[in-house]
Amino acid sequence: MSAVLSTHGLVARYGDFQALYGVDTELHAGEAVALIGANGAGKSTFLRAIMGLLPVAREMVRLDGEPVGGTPTDRMVRKGIAIVPEGRRLFSGMSVEDNLRVAIDQAARMGAKGGWTLQRLHQLFPILAEKARTPVQSLSGGQQQMVAIGRALLCQPRVLLCDEISLGLAPKVIREIYAALPEIRAAGTAMIVVEQDVGLAKSASDRLYCMLEGRVTLTGNSAEVTREQIGEAYFGAG
Ligand code: ATP
């Protein structure tokens, strides 16, 4: 099966500091892949490198087999990749609906086609309809996360990148947000879920990659990898 998104020896640096050391990954159409690893392992850097937010060589990222590494972020979105960034980055001072309308307008300008509409989003997260006129800064963290996911979906992505969407949220809210992911996949969107909670990561994915200090240290079927394997890959053996 050919990959919708793949990385090939992906290397990324912040000045003199090398954050990724040749990361090889594959994501197939409709698949959910989890990326786990400790703080500082390079997970967010990996997503940023894919999104064109860090300089990477063209051949290091492929979309449908086409080299796209280093493509500017807006063009990556146009090509069908959207990110739910760490920290959500909503437009403060604007209502829920206005935040979402920015994505709708952007998608329209790009000529993006897909099934995500405000109405469908309201079915996925009913609270977004209830809070449509509420300024986003007045929402709870979980509600803000739903807006961030909604905004990404309205770009009609084939691939959704989620950066620690459970961070700082209460367990009940985390369950609610993660319960929406299968529905998003059912709509044909593949996803890479960066997650520190290993149990959550496993339950939300078909396969997982574990990173340590900028390298992939484990890859396997999420249902099959053992606690011991993950422990070793997470912290390094010895
Ligand atoms: P976290 O869970 O803390 O977000 P992570 O696995 O996502 O961890 P990254 O944020 O990708 O890790 O960071 C990987 C490494 O790159 C870390 O050592 C971090 O200190 C470094 N790093 C991240 N962003 C920058 C930056 N803007 N400038 C310099 N170094 C950075």
Side-chain angles (χ1 to χ4, degrees), residues 12-15 17-20 35-48 54 86 163-164 167 194-196 211 213-214:
R13 291 188 174 77
Y14 298 102
F17 178 77
Q18 185 162 353
L20 298 180
L35 178 57
I36 61 173
N39 270 335
K43 307 178 300 295
S44 299
T45 301
F46 172 78
L47 298 185
R48 277 187 227 129
L54 290 169
E86 200 173 357
D163 199 352
E164 303 210 25
L167 202 68
V194 164
E195 182 53 67
Q196 286 225 19
M211 275 177 75
E213 295 173 359

Side-chain angles (χ1 to χ4, degrees), residues 1 28 31-34 36 198 201-210 218-227 229-230:
M1 195 169 35
H28 299 113
E31 192 182 32
V33 159
I36 61 173
V198 174
K202 283 181 75 173
S203 68
S205 60
D206 304 306
R207 286 189 305 119
L208 62 77
Y209 291 90
C210 183
L218 174 70
T219 169
N221 286 335
S222 303
E224 290 168 9
V225 291
T226 64
R227 202 180 279 258
Q229 285 175 314
I230 290 178

Side-chain angles (χ1 to χ4, degrees), residues 49-124:
I50 289 174
M51 287 310 286
L53 291 162
L54 290 169
V56 300
R58 202 133 200 91
E59 291 294 334
M60 290 180 184
V61 182
R62 286 176 175 261
L63 188 61
D64 297 323
E66 180 203 351
V68 294
T71 301
T73 309
D74 58 330
R75 282 186 37 215
M76 288 304 275
V77 176
R78 190 167 307 176
K79 285 173 182 287
I81 307 192
I83 187 167
V84 184
E86 200 173 357
R88 307 188 275 266
R89 312 247 172 117
L90 299 175
F91 297 113
S92 195
M94 279 167 60
S95 69
V96 167
E97 187 158 326
D98 286 345
N99 263 272
L100 296 174
R101 288 216 178 272
V102 170
I104 292 174
D105 292 347
Q106 192 187 2
R109 273 199 308 279
M110 295 185 310
K113 290 191 180 55
W116 289 103
T117 59
L118 265 185
Q119 195 184 15
R120 184 131 168 250
L121 209 55
H122 290 162
Q123 284 165 2
L124 191 67

